[in-house]
Amino acid sequence: MADKVAVVTGSNKGIGYATVRELCKRGVKYVYLTSRDVKRGHEAVKNLNKEGFKPLFHQLDVTDNNSVKVFAEHLKKQHRGLDILINNAALITSNFKETTYEDSELVLNANYYSILTIQKYMFPILKDNARVINMSSDCGHISNLKNTYWINRLIKEDIKVEDINAFVEWFLDSVKNGTLNEDDFGETPLLAYKISKIAVSALTRVQQNEVGRGISINSIHPGFVKTDMTRTVGFITTEEACKPLVYLALDIDQSARGKYFWFDKTEKDWADPNQKLYDDFAEFEQMLKDVNKI
């Protein structure tokens, strides 16, 4: 691992920050902490420096085409490529129970379309046998959907990115036009976030089918983690949540490809719509109420 290069998007705090620390601790030589906000990024690096770790920093806004392009050019020039890419940056819906077009568009841009931008500029510089981890969620399991047309289209073996784009556009159009049908989903709270993570999970399979060169691409549900996104409620810490990500980045056999993993490092069948893997929102809502955060 002496010369490996790793990038963690959205890593000035939360799971991303903990993942940078763990990769440094494991001996990866070049670990990039990235942040949209330069000041916050530098502060995060300084905090890790105090612990004896020496991550590198580069500004990265995953929703900005030029920002991603500039960073990819930097990685190519400085390191001739990339060994580990952890797509962690994401947003959650600003209102957990209401679905608006403006909010949905923001979430889909940050959580799904950004992955396509990263793929465009970062995949060409991935080294042979590189590893990519896409951050998903239990919200990203196919069982969150009840619309049989979209379930069948997303789980088919020969799925293409056009299928996923059509799914996302269908959702956004239905929100914009007021034609959203609640029966199409297991639950409607956090709906745009769920759509984004279903799309990311499906995209992982597409990317794996197309990438070649021995590269492995997997998605993962990190667990119900205490972060700003969950208003600091949850069952596990960021330090615990980062461990399975690093396991996929460094330890699992390279033959694990195109899979959907759980926070306990087990593989789950993403394409089984009858296997309910998501938690009910009511439990999350009650936890928020218990600490007066809703």
Side-chain angles (χ1 to χ4, degrees):
M1 288 189 286
D3 296 320
K4 283 190 180 295
V5 181
V7 167
V8 185
T9 69
S11 50
N12 64 291
K13 62 180 181 178
I15 300 173
Y17 180 84
T19 302
V20 168
R21 180 201 283 122
E22 188 66 18
L23 288 169
C24 290
K25 188 183 296 184
R26 289 288 305 274
V28 178
K29 187 172 183 180
Y30 304 106
V31 183
Y32 277 89
L33 184 153
T34 66
S35 172
R36 180 177 55 184
D37 186 287
V38 173
K39 182 180 178 181
R40 291 177 181 175
H42 283 306
E43 288 174 352
V45 168
K46 286 180 182 178
N47 289 333
L48 287 172
N49 289 162
K50 293 174 184 177
E51 296 183 49
F53 303 119
K54 298 181 179 180
L56 302 169
F57 173 73
H58 202 285
Q59 191 275 343
L60 178 64
D61 180 350
V62 296
T63 66
D64 184 309
N65 190 84
N66 190 62
S67 177
V68 178
K69 181 181 178 182
V70 167
F71 186 32
E73 290 171 347
H74 169 84
L75 292 169
K76 184 177 181 180
K77 180 179 179 180
Q78 295 297 319
H79 308 286
R80 298 183 181 179
L82 180 60
D83 299 284
I84 298 166
L85 172 60
I86 300 179
N87 286 314
N88 167 74
L91 293 177
I92 200 166
T93 51
S94 59
N95 187 309
F96 290 170
K97 299 181 74 172
E98 295 180 9
T99 303
T100 67
Y101 180 75
E102 292 75 18
D103 194 34
S104 297
E105 191 174 40
L106 282 173
V107 170
L108 267 300
N109 282 337
N111 298 5
Y112 172 65
Y113 288 117
S114 68
I115 305 295
L116 297 178
T117 303
I118 287 172
Q119 177 180 335
K120 178 180 178 180
Y121 293 108
M122 296 289 191
F123 276 31
I125 66 167
L126 288 174
K127 297 178 183 178
D128 292 353
N129 301 307
R131 297 186 176 197
V132 179
I133 298 97
N134 292 328
M135 186 72 83
S136 185
S137 166
D138 60 341
C139 291
H141 190 259
I142 196 66
S143 61
N144 285 277
L145 273 183
K146 300 304 175 187
N147 181 300
T148 55
Y149 170 79
W150 286 113
I151 290 172
N152 292 332
R153 187 166 173 182
L154 292 174
I155 67 174
K156 64 182 181 179
E157 291 294 325
D158 60 345
I159 182 175
K160 302 295 183 184
V161 70
E162 289 79 11
D163 296 304
I164 308 170
N165 287 342
F167 166 66
V168 171
E169 290 162 8
W170 162 77
F171 167 71
L172 288 172
D173 286 345
S174 66
V175 175
K176 188 175 185 178
N177 299 328
T179 57
L180 194 70
N181 184 353
E182 293 187 359
D183 293 336
D184 287 334
F185 314 98
E187 292 187 338
T188 55
L190 307 174
L191 192 51
Y193 180 76
K194 290 178 180 179
I195 296 298
S196 74
K197 292 304 184 179
I198 292 169
V200 168
S201 301
L203 181 63
T204 299
R205 292 152 64 93
V206 173
Q207 290 177 329
Q208 186 62 75
N209 288 339
E210 297 177 351
V211 69
R213 296 193 291 122
I215 295 167
S216 68
I217 305 175
N218 294 292
S219 63
I220 188 169
H221 163 48
F224 187 14
V225 190
K226 300 172 185 177
T227 66
D228 289 348
M229 286 179 66
T230 62
R231 300 180 187 173
T232 69
V233 304
F235 297 136
I236 61 176
T237 65
T238 56
E239 289 75 18
E240 293 169 317
C242 76
K243 296 293 176 66
L245 274 76
V246 174
Y247 169 74
L248 293 182
L250 299 178
D251 302 323
I252 197 171
D253 191 86
Q254 191 72 14
S255 62
R257 296 172 179 164
K259 306 299 184 182
Y260 174 74
F261 285 92
W262 217 239
F263 59 89
D264 60 1
K265 303 177 184 177
T266 59
E267 179 190 334
K268 303 296 183 183
D269 184 357
W270 179 80
D272 181 1
N274 298 313
Q275 186 180 7
K276 181 182 178 294
L277 290 180
Y278 63 88
D279 292 325
D280 293 329
F281 178 75
E283 182 178 12
F284 179 29
E285 186 175 34
Q286 186 58 54
M287 293 177 70
L288 290 170
K289 287 179 180 179
D290 289 343
V291 293
N292 298 314
K293 292 190 175 180
I294 193 171

